[in-house]
């Protein structure tokens, strides 16, 4: 028994032992050891062993959690270096952590490379769409496109309000509505012209216009002569002036 205690004592006092584990005992056990020629302190040894047991159990739980995380990040790495051993070491967990960190580092570098490639492709596509020959011209063209887009957005919003359309109506609906309004306006103008000239036939309208073109120049010349002869400037004064001459 004393030999076992001595070996435990030598382990606890070794440089590799955790600090504050070896504490000299002052109770009956210490006196018993001294009487038998040995000087060992094991007062806190049961608590220390219990703590180690708990830590070993917790180490197994930590290993399970790390394995789950490893399978999520490294699904191709199904081999566990601890599978063939009953005991579990901290080195086994460290290997898993190192593998996860290495994979994350690789993914980060890969994502940065892909991001640069994606950005380059976006810039090239923008240059093709908006006919930009150099990288220095990308920003000015972006500003121009942004300005034009804002103007178009405002115009479409105003048209939606004027035409009493829903704000979600696409541009094709707006164009169709404007086209229908133009047709209605043109039809009304044609009808008004027809009513003004007293005809429903386009050829009759042309004839009427030709008649008016032949009539109005001589009539206008006559009116101008009367205004000069009567020494007046207003057409409405012609009739009163002629009546005064009687």
């Amino acid at each position: 028994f004393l030999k076992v205690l001595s070996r435990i004592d030598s382990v606890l006092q070794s440089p590799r032992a955790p600090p504050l584990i070896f504490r000299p005992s002052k109770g009956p056990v210490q006196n018993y050891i001294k009487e038998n020629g040995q000087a060992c302190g094991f007062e806190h040894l049961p608590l220390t062993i219990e703590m180690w047991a708990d830590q070993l159990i917790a180490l197994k739980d930590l290993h399970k959690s790390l394995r789950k995380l490893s399978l999520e990040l490294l699904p191709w790495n199904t081999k566990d270096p601890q599978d063939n051993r009953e005991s579990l070491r901290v080195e086994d967990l460290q290997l898993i952590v190192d593998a996860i960190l290495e994979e994350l580092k690789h993914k980060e570098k890969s994502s940065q490379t892909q991001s640069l490639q994606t950005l380059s492709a976006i810039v090239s596509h923008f240059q093709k769409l908006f006919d930009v020959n150099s990288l220095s011209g990308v920003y000015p063209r972006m500003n121009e496109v942004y300005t034009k887009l804002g103007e178009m957005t405002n115009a479409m919003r105003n048209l939606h309000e004027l035409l009493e359309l829903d704000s979600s109506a696409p541009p094709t609906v707006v164009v169709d509505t404007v086209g229908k309004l133009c047709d209605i306006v043109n039809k009304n103008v044609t009808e008004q012209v027809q009513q003004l000239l007293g005809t429903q036939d386009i050829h009759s309208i042309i004839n009427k216009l030709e008649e008016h073109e032949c009539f109005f120049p001589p009539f206008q010349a006559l009116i101008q002569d009367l205004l000069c002869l009567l020494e007046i400037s207003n057409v409405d004064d012609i009739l009163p002036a002629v009546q005064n001459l009687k």
Side-chain angles (χ1 to χ4, degrees), residues 54-71 80 82 88-97 100:
D54 293 337
Q55 291 298 312
L56 288 175
I57 295 174
L59 200 64
K60 293 180 180 180
D61 294 336
L62 179 59
H63 176 263
K64 292 180 181 179
S65 300
L66 286 177
R67 281 296 297 162
K68 290 181 180 179
L69 180 60
S70 177
L71 291 176
D80 187 354
Q82 200 269 336
L88 184 63
R89 301 179 305 173
V90 175
E91 289 83 351
D92 301 327
L93 305 184
Q94 188 64 46
L95 287 175
I96 298 175
V97 173
I100 293 175

Side-chain angles (χ1 to χ4, degrees), residues 110-121:
S110 178
S111 63
Q112 290 177 354
T113 303
Q114 291 178 357
S115 298
L116 291 176
Q117 294 175 351
T118 302
L119 289 175
S120 178

Side-chain angles (χ1 to χ4, degrees), residues 72-133:
E72 288 290 333
L73 298 176
L74 313 172
W76 59 87
N77 187 15
T78 58
K79 184 179 179 180
D80 187 354
Q82 200 269 336
D83 284 342
N84 298 325
R85 295 198 308 270
E86 295 183 357
S87 61
L88 184 63
R89 301 179 305 173
V90 175
E91 289 83 351
D92 301 327
L93 305 184
Q94 188 64 46
L95 287 175
I96 298 175
V97 173
D98 290 342
I100 293 175
L101 292 176
E102 185 67 24
E103 179 63 19
L104 292 176
K105 185 178 180 180
H106 175 72
K107 284 186 176 180
E108 182 179 359
K109 291 182 178 179
S110 178
S111 63
Q112 290 177 354
T113 303
Q114 291 178 357
S115 298
L116 291 176
Q117 294 175 351
T118 302
L119 289 175
S120 178
I122 291 173
V123 172
S124 299
H125 189 60
F126 181 88
Q127 288 181 272
K128 291 180 181 179
L129 287 178
F130 298 100
D131 193 22
V132 182
N133 297 324

Side-chain angles (χ1 to χ4, degrees), residues 94-245:
Q94 188 64 46
L95 287 175
I96 298 175
V97 173
D98 290 342
I100 293 175
L101 292 176
E102 185 67 24
E103 179 63 19
L104 292 176
K105 185 178 180 180
H106 175 72
K107 284 186 176 180
E108 182 179 359
K109 291 182 178 179
S110 178
S111 63
Q112 290 177 354
T113 303
Q114 291 178 357
S115 298
L116 291 176
Q117 294 175 351
T118 302
L119 289 175
S120 178
I122 291 173
V123 172
S124 299
H125 189 60
F126 181 88
Q127 288 181 272
K128 291 180 181 179
L129 287 178
F130 298 100
D131 193 22
V132 182
N133 297 324
S134 63
L135 290 176
S136 60
V138 171
Y139 280 110
R141 186 56 58 87
M142 281 185 174
N143 294 333
E144 181 182 351
V145 171
Y146 178 78
T147 301
K148 295 294 183 182
L149 179 62
E151 294 175 354
M152 183 176 296
T153 301
N154 291 333
M156 291 298 295
R157 182 166 53 248
N158 293 334
L159 285 174
H160 279 94
E161 293 177 357
L162 290 174
L163 300 175
E164 297 182 354
L165 295 174
D166 188 80
S167 59
S168 61
T172 53
V173 175
V174 176
V175 173
D176 292 340
T177 306
V178 172
K180 292 177 181 179
L181 286 177
C182 291
D183 292 339
I184 294 173
V185 171
N186 292 333
K187 183 178 180 181
N188 291 337
V189 171
T190 303
E191 291 178 352
Q192 291 175 4
V193 172
Q194 291 174 349
Q195 293 175 2
L196 178 63
L197 299 178
T199 178
Q200 302 294 327
D201 186 7
I202 187 63
H203 295 289
S204 299
I205 294 175
I206 295 174
N207 293 333
K208 290 285 186 179
L209 291 174
E210 291 177 350
E211 291 176 0
H212 283 77
E213 186 177 358
C214 294
F215 171 75
F216 274 108
F219 178 75
Q220 184 179 12
L222 175 62
I223 294 298
Q224 290 296 330
D225 292 341
L226 286 173
L227 292 175
C228 293
L229 182 63
L230 299 173
E231 297 180 353
I232 57 178
S233 59
N234 195 346
V235 176
D236 294 335
D237 297 332
I238 292 177
L239 185 58
V242 172
Q243 290 176 348
N244 291 333
L245 293 176

Side-chain angles (χ1 to χ4, degrees), residues 8 12 21 42 44-56:
I8 295 175
L12 293 178
I21 291 180
F42 304 103
H44 300 282
L45 183 58
L47 296 176
T48 301
I49 294 176
E50 290 179 2
M51 180 193 70
W52 285 354
D54 293 337
Q55 291 298 312
L56 288 175

Side-chain angles (χ1 to χ4, degrees), residues 21 23-30 40-48:
I21 291 180
R23 297 179 182 178
S25 175
K26 297 180 181 180
V29 176
Q30 179 68 13
C40 299
F42 304 103
E43 183 180 42
H44 300 282
L45 183 58
L47 296 176
T48 301

